[in-house]
Amino acid sequence: MNRQLERILKTVQKPARYTGGEYGAIMKDKERVQTRVALCFPDTYEIGMSNLGMRILYAVANKMDGVWCERVFAPWGDMEEAMEKAGLPLFALESGDPVGSFDIIAFSLGYELAYTNVLNMLRLAGLPLRRADRPGLSPLVIAGGTCCYNPEPMADFIDLFIIGEGETVNGEVIEAYGRAKKDGLTKQAFLALAAKIPGVYVPSLYDVAYGGDGTISAITPCGGAPLPVVKRIVENLDDAYFPAETIVPSTEIVHDRVVLELFRGCIRGCRFCQAGYVYRPVRARAPDKLTKMGIEGLEKSGYEEITLSSLSTSDYKELETLCDGLLSWCEPRKASLSLPSLRADNFSMELMRKAQKVRKSGLTFAPEAGSQRLRDAINKNVTEEALLQTCRIAFAGGWNSVKLYFMLGLPTETDADVVAIAELAHKVLGIWKQHAANKSRGVRLTVSTSCFVPKAHTPFQWAGQVTMAEYERRVALLRDAMRARAIVYNWHDAKTSLIEAVLARGDRRIGAVLAHVVQNGGRLDAWEEYFSFERWQKAFEATGLDPAFYANRERLYGEVLPWHVTSAGVGEAFLYGEYEKALRAELSPDCRTACTACGASSLTGGRCDG
């Protein structure tokens, strides 16, 4: 650690965020490395180190000969101020070297409000924000992650995007870069070659034209670049890397435990859920392999908790077998097993009893809508009776804490649907009063609502977000209907939801807004302490762009959408058919009941959930 950094760390909170040197961090001799990669997570250390994808990509890159991948996180405000005062540029944790000296700077984009952090990290690295102002091959700035399914708001800043799952594609891009560096290629020549790698989107190779009404009139690829760029996936998840040997942080992080990924994709088809569509088709790991991986992860890390991860854990076919296998190791060692992402319709109390022998936690369900009509419109496929029956069993079994998550502003929502959330919460409370095993402990019933944000590549991608005023009216309506003291009601802020919608549905012109926000102090926008709606409003005014055009406007079928440059493998006609079904409140079956021919299985030769 250099002395300048050592002096700074004495002045900031949580210095362990910036020291590196954790058990499991990978060190290499940089004199023997040909390509150096800075893997950047645009949020704090505690958030980034809790991200399983970050750990996987770090390990996979470091297994490559001649490649050293290091970690970089966004500094908190006090550290940023101290670094700038001392003239210390953004640095990587392993070597302490400036990020600007790396060959490749790779960002993970999982949340739109982190976009300003990406730009701010480039600024702190001493690099120009816009790719046009970085003409040299090095550093190459790339990005991957779920947000890249609409890469356009970041198109002015990123040299290339990786669409889909990065385990394989990242390596192909790094190898191609290494050859280009050896051969002395220009960045332009390298990007032309990189665009031929399946799953790689190079924004400089696409021209975007706009019509008089502000909508996109055409997207034109140049130099043989594909349109759309189809996502890449890991076809056999059993062959995918799992970081059993991983970094053990020296300070507390958000998810301080082993995370075991059961499967990718989701069988359910909830029409608002971007992850449920872009991670299709369903691919699961074998239970014996998972058991071995989970135990190995616990043994090598020393963690005392393991959590099962997927979009809908209780839909894993061999869940009980897996839990039995893990618990046979966990119980004697007092290690706990967590089962998040449970559904009310296939919830197993027996399974929860088994899993929570070591530590009992509360139950969390996401009905998403209060009325059956709206739950059918969003294709949630959960009935009120199923939810109440689950709560009945849980309260009788000794649970006294339930969290319920909903969205406000879903397409077709009426005031009756909003009030139905309160009615459902009161019914759950009534169930507790009738069936609780121990009423003297009281009940903790928490209802939380967020504002619906329409996302790319979902059936609701054409729907508009309700205005902030309308969302706040619905929050007030629900709050007034929530009369029981035993129910705690929390709601998400309307302003951040509006900005999230703009960035999720934005085109290339939004890049000017992002640059303006960052140039005027914007960073860490996912954090309430740093988010400034006024700063965003000023950026929209300065650039002449209307946030309502992006967030609140309903799109017509046939309109060229910014994210048409990418494909998740699910057909647009299928998505629109699902949207029309939503407007009629019609259900579609889950993928195990009947295949709906969404098109995603074409990525695996017709295999899905096999």
Side-chain angles (χ1 to χ4, degrees), residues 408-464:
L408 291 179
L410 285 160
T412 79
E413 184 180 73
T414 65
D415 283 1
D417 296 316
V418 175
V419 173
I421 293 174
E423 293 170 350
L424 182 58
H426 285 106
K427 287 177 184 175
V428 171
L429 185 60
I431 292 289
W432 175 80
K433 289 177 180 174
Q434 290 177 40
H435 299 278
N438 187 353
K439 292 190 179 65
S440 63
R441 294 167 54 207
V443 63
R444 284 179 293 169
L445 177 54
T446 305
V447 172
S448 299
T449 61
S450 60
C451 182
F452 165 66
V453 177
K455 292 289 178 88
H457 299 291
T458 70
F460 288 164
Q461 65 180 356
W462 291 278

Side-chain angles (χ1 to χ4, degrees), residues 584-596:
R584 300 192 297 268
E586 287 182 16
L587 287 167
S588 287
D590 68 65
C591 299
R592 286 182 189 152
T593 302
C595 175
T596 51

